[in-house]
């Protein structure tokens, strides 16, 4: 299956919501019967209904309002078919997402230190495993540090991913200081001449102060080895949390210097529209998206393909 085919397949729950919403909206047009194809006049009532469809798809009120206003500005007074409306929507979504679609930047620095943050269960460990595997396949040498030392299960899980990806995973005894593990990992990555060091971190937001101090200490300690580290701070967000992902970005931007986002679990949710809201609200780079639990289920983020899949359209030729 092509990458677009997989994206469309996995985004099905989200796209079904928009697809059905738009079809319903066009089908109820009073003048539908006169043409062989149903068409709906773009007027205030129609734009309001469209806005509701987008909010139901988790795009958020602000983004949904902006998107519909732009469609109104461009197309008010026209009669659109379902396909034309989907195309117009996909164009607007692409326009919002285009500026933030950027792969994880790779620097000549060795090791490039990538700190991975996010709430528990958001998919950090899985994403690190997938990233490690992709970088390894691209010829990079990778070291992983299991920085969530408070959860033995999290460490074990990361070791399993390390085996799958074929990269070393540095661990420390349960309850030990994550910063000291991060330091040891820096030493090891430097000694190995590794290209990348991926550091997993804890995600207990229940005690934000502790987490902030823990992350700050990790950063302080790795800067003893390299004052330019970490080179990326990746925030992993779970799409199934919908609008809550926006709140998580706000919180993590206060406690860490977030440089980019990965959104996971877009395959299991109808709330994929939240990624559009994230792009619109924060403008942070979106590096990749998680489309499943397997090692090859992390896809680069392509704004046009995402927008078309989300709107239930086929690939643009
Ligand atoms: N369907 C789907 N599941 C995913 C994806 N990414 C992660 N998961 C699943 O989400 C669950 C949590 O993922 P983890 O990688 O353990 O999350 P974490 O943030 O490391 O969580 P902690 O270890 O609790 O800190 C696991 O069951 C993963 O298999 C994805 O893109 N799609």
């Amino acid at each position: 299956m092509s990458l677009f085919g997989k994206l469309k397949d996995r985004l099905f729950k989200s796209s079904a919501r928009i697809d059905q919403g738009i079809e319903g909206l066009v089908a109820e047009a009073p003048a539908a019967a006169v043409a062989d194809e149903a068409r709906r006049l773009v007027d205030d009532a129609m734009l309001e209904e469209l806005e509701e469809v987008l909010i139901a798809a988790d795009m958020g009120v602000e983004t949904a309002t902006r998107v519909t206003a732009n469609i109104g500005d461009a197309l008010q007074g026209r009669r659109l078919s379902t396909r034309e409306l989907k195309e117009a929507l996909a164009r607007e979504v692409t326009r919002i997402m285009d500026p933030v679609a950027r792969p994880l930047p790779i620097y000549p620095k060795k090791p490039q230190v990538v700190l991975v943050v996010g709430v528990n269960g958001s998919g950090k460990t899985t994403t690190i495993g997938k990233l490690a595997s992709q970088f390894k396949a691209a010829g990079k040498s990778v070291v992983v540090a299991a920085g969530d030392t408070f959860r033995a299960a999290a460490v074990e899980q990361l070791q399993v991913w390390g085996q799958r990806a074929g990269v070393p995973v540095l661990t420390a005894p349960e309850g030990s200081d994550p910063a000291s593990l991060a330091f040891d990992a820096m030493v090891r990555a430097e000694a190995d001449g590794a290209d990348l060091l991926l550091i997993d971190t804890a995600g207990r937001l229940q005690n934000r102060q502790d987490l902030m101090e823990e992350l700050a200490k990790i950063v302080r300690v790795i800067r003893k080895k390299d004052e330019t580290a970490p080179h990326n701070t990746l925030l992993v967000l779970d799409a199934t949390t919908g609008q809550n992902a926006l709140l998580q970005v706000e919180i993590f931007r206060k406690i860490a210097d977030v440089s980019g986002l990965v959104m996971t679990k877009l395959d299991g949710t109808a709330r994929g529209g939240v990624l559009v809201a994230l792009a619109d609200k924060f403008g942070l780079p979106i590096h990749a998206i998680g489309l499943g639990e397997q090692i090859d289920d992390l896809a680069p983020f392509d704004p046009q393909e995402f927008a078309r899949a989300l709107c239930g359209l086929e690939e643009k030729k």
Side-chain angles (χ1 to χ4, degrees), residues 47-60:
L47 291 170
E48 214 165 289
E49 282 174 49
L50 178 62
E51 192 177 314
E52 276 164 28
V53 169
L54 302 184
I55 291 169
D58 252 287
M59 240 180 241

Side-chain angles (χ1 to χ4, degrees), residues 10 116-130 148 151 153-155 157-158 161 164 200-204 236-238 240 262-269 289-294 297-298:
R10 304 282 163 99
V116 181
V117 301
V119 300
N120 287 121
S122 61
K124 292 185 297 292
T125 307
T126 310
T127 300
I128 288 174
K130 292 170 176 174
D148 185 359
R151 278 200 346 112
V155 174
Q157 201 195 353
L158 198 54
W161 276 104
R164 278 187 205 144
D200 196 6
T201 63
R204 288 171 297 277
V236 177
L237 298 165
D238 171 350
T240 65
V262 171
M263 175 144 270
T264 64
K265 307 188 202 178
L266 277 163
D267 52 311
T269 180
I289 50 177
L291 298 171
E293 297 187 78
Q294 304 305 313
D297 286 335
L298 187 75

Side-chain angles (χ1 to χ4, degrees), residues 28-44:
E28 73 185 43
V34 296
D36 12 327
E37 190 183 16
R39 289 184 171 268
R40 173 92 191 251
L41 177 70
V42 181
D43 58 8
D44 289 347

Side-chain angles (χ1 to χ4, degrees), residues 21-32 38-40 45-46 49:
I22 288 184
E23 291 204 359
L25 186 153
V26 173
E28 73 185 43
R39 289 184 171 268
R40 173 92 191 251
M46 179 274 193
E49 282 174 49

